[in-house]
Amino acid sequence: MDPLKSNPQDRFEMEQDINLKEELRKYTSFWPWFVLGIMLAIISSFLYLRYTPLTYQTSAKVRI
């Protein structure tokens, strides 16, 4: 079957054939950066929530 004469959808699927192991192997060498980024995100969100003043504080009194 000639790829140039085939259906455009079939050509697209042939070009999209991805080997998942190869793709993951590209990024596993950068795992310390992923861990560092996640830790920085967690620490910064904790500090933001800890020191941001409360905006929506309510109180109520009921007189009987």
Side-chain angles (χ1 to χ4, degrees), residues 1 6 8-10 14-18 23 25-27 29 32 37 40 50 53-55 57 61:
M1 178 184 259
S6 65
Q9 182 67 25
D10 292 338
M14 287 182 354
E15 292 172 1
Q16 293 296 323
D17 189 24
I18 297 172
E23 292 298 319
R25 195 166 289 145
K26 289 180 190 178
Y27 299 106
S29 63
L40 283 174
R50 171 73 176 95
L54 296 176
T55 304
Q57 187 174 6
K61 292 183 182 180

Side-chain angles (χ1 to χ4, degrees), residues 35-64:
V35 172
L36 180 66
I38 290 170
M39 289 179 65
L40 283 174
I42 290 172
I43 291 170
S44 62
S45 62
F46 172 77
L47 291 174
Y48 174 76
L49 292 173
R50 171 73 176 95
Y51 294 109
T52 301
L54 296 176
T55 304
Y56 303 105
Q57 187 174 6
T58 62
S59 64
K61 292 183 182 180
V62 178
R63 286 185 150 183
I64 298 180

